[in-house]
Amino acid sequence: MKTAEELRYLILAIQREGNRLLAAELRPLGLTPSQAEVLRVLGDHGPLTLSALGGLLVCETGNSPSRLVDRLVAQGLIQRDTDPNDRRYLALSLTVEGRQLSSRVATAEDVLHQAIDDLVAGQAVDQTINTLRVLAEAFPAGEALARRRTGGNDGTSDADHPGGS
């Protein structure tokens, strides 16, 4: 097996198992991993326009997670308000129920993160993370994660506001 092939399949295997474990933790909350990611991103970075939210999500490609957001609005977890920076746009934020559920999602994520920490204890994790960042940041999902890590989003994007932010 080629090195690149093995790396690709190892990443896929870890992603699938991690998603399966997270889905099991989220099932009692009635959320999918993608819905949980939206709640956590809005909780950490909101309020955000739809496009800015899309730019921070790993679970969705592109900048318009409208169907995902529509479901969470219908469940009463997200609200749409006029963007205070530009009244032509909507700002998405968590409702009281959404904030409470986001906190419970964080607890569910902590269970998965602790399991990962236990599995990699004593390993060269920082070096592995740096290698994975090089690969991931070549793709839109990796760029979204980099923006989240650096806090490089103010809730708007050039696409949200013609002529810049």
Side-chain angles (χ1 to χ4, degrees):
M1 181 177 281
K2 295 178 183 176
T3 300
E5 180 182 18
E6 183 176 10
L7 180 60
R8 181 173 64 98
Y9 279 113
L10 287 169
I11 291 168
L12 179 61
I14 293 164
Q15 186 276 332
R16 285 194 174 169
E17 288 304 312
N19 207 45
R20 184 186 62 75
L21 292 170
L22 182 59
E25 289 294 323
L26 295 172
R27 197 166 294 118
L29 304 180
L31 294 172
T32 66
S34 295
Q35 291 169 330
E37 183 182 0
V38 170
L39 294 181
R40 293 286 286 131
V41 168
L42 281 175
D44 291 346
H45 301 278
L48 296 168
T49 63
L50 184 63
S51 179
L53 173 64
L56 294 175
L57 293 177
V58 175
C59 67
E60 293 272 324
T61 56
N63 284 344
S64 187
S66 55
R67 284 185 292 209
L68 188 54
V69 168
D70 288 345
R71 280 184 235 125
L72 294 169
V73 168
Q75 292 173 347
L77 302 174
I78 294 178
Q79 61 189 26
R80 292 182 177 114
D81 296 307
T82 302
D83 186 336
N85 298 319
D86 189 333
R87 297 184 59 78
R88 296 174 294 173
Y89 299 95
L90 294 176
L92 304 170
S93 60
L94 297 177
T95 63
V96 171
E97 185 180 347
R99 282 191 299 277
Q100 292 169 346
L101 201 50
S102 178
S103 177
R104 293 178 66 195
V105 167
T107 301
E109 289 175 337
D110 286 345
V111 170
L112 176 60
H113 299 161
Q114 185 60 56
I116 292 170
D117 283 343
D118 292 346
L119 287 168
V120 299
Q123 300 299 311
V125 176
D126 290 340
Q127 183 179 356
T128 302
I129 288 173
N130 288 334
T131 300
L132 292 173
R133 279 183 186 155
V134 168
L135 287 169
E137 289 174 3
F139 303 100
E143 292 171 358
L145 187 57
R147 284 190 290 275
R148 280 168 45 184
R149 189 177 63 252
T150 62
N153 195 304
D154 65 359
T156 63
S157 73
D158 290 345
D160 294 329
H161 302 279
S165 326

